[in-house]
Amino acid sequence: MSLELYFHPLASYCWKVLIALYENETAFEPRFVDLADPDARAELERLWPFVRFPVLRDRAHDRVVPESSVIIEYLAQNHPGPVALLPADPEHALETRFQDRFYDVYLHEPMQKIVGDRLRPAGEHDPHGVARAKQLIETAYGIVERQMATRIWAAGDAFSLADCAAAPALHYANRVCPLGEPVAAPPRFWRDSKRARHSNACSPRQSRTSTSFQANSAALATRNSHDAGVVQRERHMRSLSALEPGEAVELQRDRTNDDRPAARHVFDTPQHGRQEVAVAGGVQEEDGAV
């Protein structure tokens, strides 16, 4: 198989790339990275010295591609599918890239700041940084609420790269800074569950709560029960959505070589069945820890 994705299933930036792959049903080989495993860590470090994921390796083109947004654009250029994740029209493409950057910078990154702070040892927390991160998230919620008053998807009327960024960012941000606290706008995000995709089970409208995320995902899997591949993807995304950021270290306390608490998570993958992975004191992503 040409494409290999180095990732961790609890990492939100990895979800972003998984959504793009599943949306176009792009075949790939998953490479689950346990950073507590010296061999797995060394393999990732050889590909990307920063030791952060996701990282895509394309053996057919002899390329290693880091960074979630760049990976999705690379897939669009070199492994296109039926869904154009980056519009051909330059103006629409610019808006899509802007929305992708918006969700990464103003929701994803501050969310990771909050999660990362929860994983710090006692006495090393950053309350000022966390407060600032929550302010950024709350401001972003207001902007998204106004934008989605006239849109179906994050960048307009079509599913795109921006939605790959929006779904995990909104899902996890809602866990650490719940919508409605203090944002009290009506739930405009998720007016029509039929807009759900098999790749991520929700649009920005539908990411309002984890309950709606799970309900939409289950409903979509039922509607598409004739398609085993779709059902498998839905099971995968539901299992990924089940874990709270920061909760990973509480699920099952093992001990790693550096004596930090670890957790084990069992989940189903669309192509490779049931897998079990470990989380040791957090998950190192391209821009932070989840």
Side-chain angles (χ1 to χ4, degrees):
M1 191 172 294
S2 171
L3 297 176
E4 299 175 340
L5 182 68
Y6 289 77
F7 78 110
H8 195 286
L10 307 183
S12 50
Y13 275 109
C14 294
W15 290 20
K16 180 176 169 181
V17 174
L18 286 169
I19 290 169
L21 288 164
Y22 294 160
E23 182 64 21
N24 276 317
E25 300 186 349
T26 304
F28 71 99
E29 183 71 24
R31 298 295 187 190
F32 305 107
V33 181
D34 177 3
L35 293 178
D37 182 335
D39 293 336
R41 187 183 185 93
E43 183 179 3
L44 180 61
E45 187 173 13
R46 285 192 294 270
L47 295 175
W48 186 230
F50 291 107
V51 196
R52 292 186 171 185
F53 34 57
V55 172
L56 183 76
R57 177 157 64 176
D58 187 347
R59 292 186 179 275
H61 292 84
D62 193 25
R63 289 286 301 274
V64 173
V65 186
E67 300 294 324
S68 58
S69 297
V70 179
I71 291 172
I72 294 172
E73 289 213 31
Y74 178 85
L75 291 170
Q77 292 176 9
N78 295 279
H79 299 272
V83 179
L85 296 175
L86 191 67
D89 178 78
E91 288 298 320
H92 290 165
L94 184 63
E95 176 64 15
T96 298
R97 289 189 176 100
F98 167 72
Q99 292 298 330
D100 170 65
R101 194 68 183 144
F102 170 86
Y103 282 100
D104 279 1
V105 172
Y106 298 110
L107 276 172
H108 224 141
E109 290 184 16
M111 173 273 293
Q112 290 194 328
K113 168 65 178 177
I114 298 170
V115 173
D117 191 77
R118 292 179 179 180
L119 298 175
R120 288 185 174 190
E124 296 186 16
H125 295 289
D126 178 16
H128 176 77
V130 169
R132 176 58 181 157
K134 289 183 176 181
Q135 289 177 352
L136 289 174
I137 290 174
E138 289 162 5
T139 300
Y141 283 164
I143 292 172
V144 173
E145 187 76 6
R146 291 191 294 273
Q147 287 178 340
M148 296 310 297
T150 58
R151 296 182 179 185
I152 297 174
W153 298 100
D157 293 337
F159 187 92
S160 70
L161 161 66
D163 298 282
C164 297
L170 284 166
H171 173 71
Y172 266 134
N174 184 44
R175 298 292 188 97
V176 299
C177 190
L179 284 145
E181 300 177 13
V183 177
R188 197 187 300 271
F189 283 139
W190 50 283
R191 288 185 295 196
D192 185 357
S193 63
K194 292 182 180 179
R195 294 193 179 109
R197 311 291 283 202
H198 65 252
S199 56
N200 71 345
C202 62
S203 74
R205 294 184 192 275
Q206 297 154 342
S207 296
R208 174 63 87 165
T209 66
S210 58
T211 301
S212 66
F213 184 94
Q214 298 276 8
N216 287 334
S217 189
L220 188 65
T222 301
R223 289 200 303 271
N224 292 281
S225 59
H226 64 281
D227 184 344
V230 169
V231 173
Q232 285 182 316
R233 280 188 291 276
E234 289 308 314
R235 290 173 61 199
H236 180 53
M237 295 311 295
R238 287 202 304 278
S239 64
L240 292 182
S241 70
L243 190 66
E244 296 233 7
E247 267 189 354
V249 295
E250 302 297 334
L251 288 181
Q252 177 178 326
R253 290 191 174 275
D254 295 332
R255 288 288 165 182
T256 61
N257 293 334
D258 58 2
D259 202 40
R260 289 184 298 167
R264 298 195 178 276
H265 183 52
V266 178
F267 62 97
D268 295 312
T269 64
Q271 301 175 26
H272 298 84
R274 179 152 293 191
Q275 301 287 333
E276 180 176 309
V277 295
V279 184
V283 176
Q284 192 68 18
E285 289 207 82
E286 60 186 35
D287 291 314
V290 165

